């Protein structure tokens, strides 16, 4: 039996929520994340790439889980779960919209980083096109990002 195709999640933004989701969804030791590809599209490349700006940065977060899901109260016992994970790829958009685009392929060269993150064309991971897009950014930025996403999806069609 062949394994199902990977699920690809694209996080757009550069907030603390994005880094927390990178730690949780990028945690490859968690069996729930098997066959899951995580991408980040951000204007904050320095925050999501390592010090050499070459590979995705690894994130860590601690989750406080109640032992019982029936009643979640502060006085009941809890356990701490530490997640350590990283996105599979990071796409830096903004500015001239063509940064990090050094492909010789004409089709890929015509795509900006946000379009590449959505489509998966020449992505460094094997996730194909994004199945889910999550805006993990301040609400004040949603309208501007939705306009960028709509424009990118229109250009990809």
């Amino acid at each position: 039996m062949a394994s199902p195709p990977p699920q690809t999640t694209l996080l757009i933004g550069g907030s603390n929520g994005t880094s927390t989701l990178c730690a949780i969804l990028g945690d490859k030791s968690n069996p729930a994340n098997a066959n899951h590809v995580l991408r980040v599209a951000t204007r904050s490349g320095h925050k999501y790439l390592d010090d050499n700006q070459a590979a995705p940065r690894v994130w860590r977060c601690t989750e406080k889980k109640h032992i019982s899901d029936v009643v979640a109260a502060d006085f009941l016992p809890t356990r701490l779960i530490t997640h350590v994970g990283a996105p599979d790829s990071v796409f830096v958009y903004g500015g001239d919209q063509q940064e990090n685009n050094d492909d010789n392929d004409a089709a890929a060269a015509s795509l900006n980083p946000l379009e590449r993150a959505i489509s998966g064309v020449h992505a460094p991971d094997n996730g194909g096109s994004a199945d889910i897009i999550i805006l993990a950014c301040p609400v004040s930025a949603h309208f501007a990002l939705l306009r960028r996403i709509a424009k990118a999806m229109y250009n990809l069609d």
Side-chain angles (χ1 to χ4, degrees), residues 8-31:
T8 302
T9 301
L10 172 59
L11 303 174
I12 299 178
S15 67
N16 291 337
T18 305
S19 55
T20 301
L21 287 171
C22 285
I24 294 170
L25 297 175
D27 185 357
K28 301 302 183 191
S29 68
N30 183 349

Side-chain angles (χ1 to χ4, degrees), residues 114-128:
L114 187 56
E115 292 168 347
R116 293 174 72 176
I118 293 170
S119 68
V121 173
H122 286 269
D125 55 57
N126 63 351

Side-chain angles (χ1 to χ4, degrees), residues 53-148:
Q53 302 291 294
R57 186 178 302 276
V58 176
W59 294 92
R60 173 186 299 269
C61 76
T62 303
E63 177 183 10
K64 182 179 176 182
K65 272 190 113 158
H66 291 275
I67 293 179
S68 170
D69 288 335
V70 177
V71 178
D74 287 335
F75 61 86
L76 294 174
T78 60
R79 61 188 167 121
L80 296 177
I81 300 172
T82 300
H83 300 280
V84 178
D88 295 294
S89 55
V90 176
F91 296 82
V92 181
Y93 67 88
D96 63 2
Q97 285 286 316
Q98 294 298 326
E99 53 193 277
N100 296 335
N101 197 351
D102 56 359
D103 287 314
N104 295 327
D105 183 356
S110 68
L111 300 178
N112 67 47
L114 187 56
E115 292 168 347
R116 293 174 72 176
I118 293 170
S119 68
V121 173
H122 286 269
D125 55 57
N126 63 351
S129 62
D131 298 303
I132 300 170
I133 298 174
I134 298 174
L135 297 181
C137 57
V139 175
S140 61
H142 283 184
F143 185 67
L145 278 173
L146 285 172
R147 288 179 67 161
R148 282 182 183 256

